[in-house]
Amino acid sequence: MPYRAPVEEYQFLFEHVVGLPKVTETDRFAEATPDMTAAILTEAGRMCEDVLAPLQRAGDLHPAHLENGVVRTSPGYAEGYKAIAEGGWVSISASPEHGGMGLPMTVTTAVNEMMSAACLSLQLNPLMTQGQIEALDHHGSDAIKALYLPKLVSGEWAGTMNLTEPQAGSDVGALRSRAEPNGDGSYAITGQKIYISWGDNDFTENVCHLVLARLPDSAPGTKGISLFLVPKIIPNADGTLGARNSLHVVSLEHKMGLHGSPTAVMQYDGATGWLVGEPQGGMRAMFTMMNNARLGVGGQGIGAAEGAYQHALAYALERKQGRSPVADGTGTILDHADVRRMLLTMKADIFAARAIALSCAVAIDMQTAGQDPAWGARAALLTPIAKAFGTATGVAVAEMGVQVHGGMGFIEETGAAQYYRDVRVTAIYEGTNGIQAMDLVARKMMDRGAAAFALLDEIDTTAKAAQSALTDLAAPVADAARTLRETVQWLVAQDDLNDRFAGAEPFLRGFARVLGGHFHLTAALAEGGNGAHTKLARFYITRMLPEHIGLFAHARTGAADLYTLSADELSQ
């Protein structure tokens, strides 16, 4: 499917909306100049357009499959992965000490999104490896880092994360996989894991699994879980490959979408593994990888939305159907008001979700660069919003893309439905969007709303700056921020967490709506209130931002009415 990388849009966002210059002013990221960033985005965009995009349909039509215990990947995926690895796109933000580029996470986020738009199934592979690189860099022993990181950074080896078991999904503490000491510093890992994205492939030399398991006599629940690095092939001390480990792929899941990405059931039968982090500190170590992945998955949703939008726009520009009263129109369905409404909604929400994700990445970069600790709180606050809103946008935009195609959207040959089928799981994996919302109203509000209020202060500042030049846009954003502030105050005053949880999902969506208004307004200011971004901002702020009123009313309702119907009454 044709795809055009929106390189200029990323550059505009970097320079004028999300504040990348603050990052590049730090000593840590001083080398990430605008010229370097532009060159990287351009080269990555070319790779996505020329190499990855042609693989989108191939993965769907010719899924990965298991053949005599070996995973066979979709046609062209080996060559596509080679382009990713050799281009250094696996390790943009990895430490130069191990061969990475050492560039900001903001740049990685943009490149990952482009790869997701071009071929989501294949992009999931390097995303998993990126998370493992970060987890090992933070929690691995010096020996593990020296042996594994150069191979993961180069893309010669791939990484996965193994959390879920048949009886332990979101309740990770219910897992049963066990780890027995071997007496030589290694452990024997036994158990079964499910839903393992890219659990195996036929194009990397090795696949390294991060596996959660229990040591003997460990504490119950999540507190007793440890993390282990379990390679498919045990490496020798010099990094060459040694013996095959005692693990295998039992089966591959038959999925709604992402057919090119093998989702494996993994069996470990006394497989040799090494402890990562402290004993019974597995969740802390794994969350390093999961938080990385949550931002990345948000980017997957945005990327899929961009792909679906471009696909729908191309169809609308060529499809002739009916007549519209618009003078000097295109003569295609693009002239119809409802088609315009859908396309503008798609474009406006992609901008909002993209800006939220990149702002989260900027906060991570500022934290990494050792700046004010408040940046860490900002990153923590924005992570669940970036993940949930990014993926919800992907699902909604892909669904609208099918609608723009009309009856042809329901026909698989057009490719419109694939975007929806592929992106749907992003709202589920790496913590469902409901879990992200619960995290936002509970753990992320343990500061009594301090991080949220600091962000709201910035929104107020932007609205005041736009008050004279863009009054019609600034006033609604300021009003929405005031309602969000009142809703945060209500939330932190609730001692019963269930009252927070009952409205958590609409609260997160409302928060994202307000952030979207802020970023659209910032973009309009940056171009002087006259240009394409201003026109899009006016559409978003006038037509979409008002949704926050109903969302925040829902968020402040509490939980009581959710339980008035009994189980029997629900079944009637």
Side-chain angles (χ1 to χ4, degrees):
M1 296 178 185
Y3 165 70
R4 182 188 60 80
V7 171
E8 291 182 359
E9 182 73 345
Y10 295 123
Q11 291 176 299
F12 178 83
L13 281 158
F14 284 177
E15 293 297 317
H16 303 295
V17 179
V18 301
L20 183 61
K22 292 193 293 285
V23 175
T24 58
E25 288 168 3
T26 67
D27 292 339
R28 175 69 178 266
F29 296 115
E31 293 183 4
T33 63
D35 286 346
M36 175 185 282
T37 300
I40 287 171
L41 290 176
T42 300
E43 190 60 32
R46 186 178 299 116
M47 186 266 297
C48 290
E49 292 172 353
D50 297 343
V51 180
L52 299 190
L55 302 177
Q56 170 84 342
R57 286 298 282 160
D60 195 53
L61 297 174
H62 307 285
H65 62 280
L66 197 61
E67 182 181 282
N68 298 322
V70 177
V71 170
R72 302 297 184 191
T73 56
S74 302
Y77 270 41
E79 292 77 12
Y81 179 80
K82 183 179 180 182
I84 294 170
E86 291 184 350
W89 308 121
V90 176
S91 52
I92 301 170
S93 296
S95 171
E97 179 183 353
H98 304 292
M101 296 187 195
L103 293 174
M105 178 59 67
T106 310
V107 179
T108 293
T109 300
V111 172
N112 281 348
E113 188 204 301
M114 285 192 283
M115 289 197 289
S116 299
C119 184
L120 183 56
S121 285
L122 183 54
Q123 187 272 341
L124 186 53
N125 183 296
L127 180 67
M128 294 291 95
T129 303
Q130 288 170 2
Q132 187 170 118
I133 289 169
E134 184 168 2
L136 294 181
D137 195 31
H138 281 81
H139 304 286
S141 66
D142 289 342
I144 283 177
K145 291 179 186 179
L147 182 57
Y148 285 85
L149 285 179
K151 297 290 189 179
L152 291 166
V153 165
S154 70
E156 295 171 76
W157 297 355
T160 76
M161 55 195 300
N162 287 233
L163 291 79
T164 308
E165 298 180 6
Q167 79 293 337
S170 300
D171 182 13
V172 180
L175 68 82
R176 297 171 186 160
S177 294
R178 62 186 188 277
E180 300 283 345
N182 286 326
D184 60 357
S186 68
Y187 295 81
I189 314 299
T190 301
Q192 188 176 97
K193 298 289 184 177
I194 64 172
Y195 301 152
I196 310 307
S197 296
W198 281 99
D200 198 11
N201 69 72
D202 55 3
F203 50 66
T204 62
E205 295 177 354
N206 205 357
V207 180
C208 307
H209 304 281
L210 281 178
V211 182
L212 290 177
R214 293 188 183 282
L215 290 165
D217 303 320
S218 62
T222 57
K223 293 181 179 179
I225 296 173
S226 300
L227 181 64
F228 301 88
L229 180 59
V230 188
K232 172 183 174 180
I233 302 174
I234 301 172
N236 299 314
D238 62 358
T240 59
L241 297 179
R244 183 73 158 77
N245 213 344
S246 301
L247 59 90
H248 66 279
V249 177
V250 175
S251 62
L252 299 182
E253 302 292 355
H254 299 280
K255 301 176 296 184
M256 174 180 175
L258 284 184
H259 295 153
S261 170
T263 301
V265 176
M266 299 295 303
Q267 182 66 40
Y268 297 87
D269 297 309
T272 303
W274 287 266
L275 184 68
V276 175
E278 298 297 322
Q280 301 190 69
M283 290 305 296
R284 178 173 174 268
M286 183 60 86
F287 263 109
T288 299
M289 183 174 187
M290 286 182 68
N291 282 328
N292 177 298
R294 283 173 174 172
L295 175 58
V297 169
Q300 287 185 325
I302 301 162
E306 178 68 37
Y309 169 72
Q310 290 190 21
H311 200 63
L313 178 60
Y315 182 80
L317 284 167
E318 66 181 26
R319 173 64 169 166
K320 294 182 179 180
Q321 184 76 20
R323 293 183 178 182
S324 169
V326 176
D328 300 322
T330 64
T332 70
I333 63 170
L334 186 64
D335 295 340
H336 297 308
D338 191 55
V339 173
R340 282 276 179 155
R341 175 194 62 80
M342 288 189 285
L343 290 168
L344 279 166
T345 298
M346 295 160 82
K347 188 174 181 64
D349 250 354
I350 289 170
F351 180 91
R354 182 177 284 148
I356 291 170
L358 292 176
S359 290
C360 182
V362 164
I364 291 170
D365 288 329
M366 293 297 282
Q367 180 186 23
T368 301
Q371 303 303 298
D372 190 321
W375 285 108
R378 171 72 57 86
L381 178 75
L382 288 177
T383 294
I385 302 174
K387 192 277 182 185
F389 187 66
T391 58
T393 296
V395 173
V397 167
E399 190 275 333
M400 277 186 277
V402 172
Q403 192 71 18
V404 169
H405 280 76
M408 293 303 294
F410 202 67
I411 305 301
E412 285 290 352
E413 283 78 2
T414 65
Q418 183 185 341
Y419 288 106
Y420 182 82
R421 290 186 289 101
D422 283 354
V423 77
R424 186 62 188 84
V425 72
T426 63
I428 298 171
Y429 62 24
E430 302 308 333
T432 67
N433 286 359
I435 288 175
Q436 303 302 318
M438 292 167 69
D439 176 51
L440 177 63
V441 301
R443 187 180 298 275
K444 302 303 164 58
M445 294 293 167
M446 290 176 66
D447 63 355
R448 307 299 295 172
F453 294 142
L455 185 52
L456 283 165
D457 290 342
E458 292 183 17
I459 296 174
D460 289 339
T461 299
T462 300
K464 287 177 183 176
Q467 202 165 27
S468 57
L470 294 165
T471 306
D472 62 325
L473 301 184
V477 171
D479 290 344
R482 189 177 305 111
T483 306
L484 173 54
R485 189 182 294 272
E486 293 168 355
T487 305
V488 172
Q489 291 169 341
W490 182 90
L491 276 172
V492 299
Q494 307 310 305
D495 294 327
D496 186 342
L497 279 180
N498 217 31
D499 283 333
R500 298 191 195 185
F501 293 156
E505 194 276 340
F507 173 73
L508 186 148
R509 280 193 288 141
F511 205 138
R513 271 281 163 263
V514 177
L515 287 174
H518 164 63
F519 290 125
H520 272 289
L521 180 60
T522 302
L525 268 175
E527 66 177 12
N530 183 27
H533 284 100
T534 302
K535 295 172 184 177
L536 191 64
R538 184 160 280 111
F539 174 86
Y540 182 96
I541 292 171
T542 301
R543 293 176 180 264
M544 300 174 69
L545 180 60
E547 294 172 7
H548 79 276
I549 298 170
L551 292 168
F552 290 145
H554 189 165
R556 295 193 298 266
T557 300
D561 63 328
L562 299 183
Y563 299 91
T564 56
L565 284 177
S566 67
D568 288 341
E569 289 171 323
L570 283 169
S571 302
Q572 289 176 0

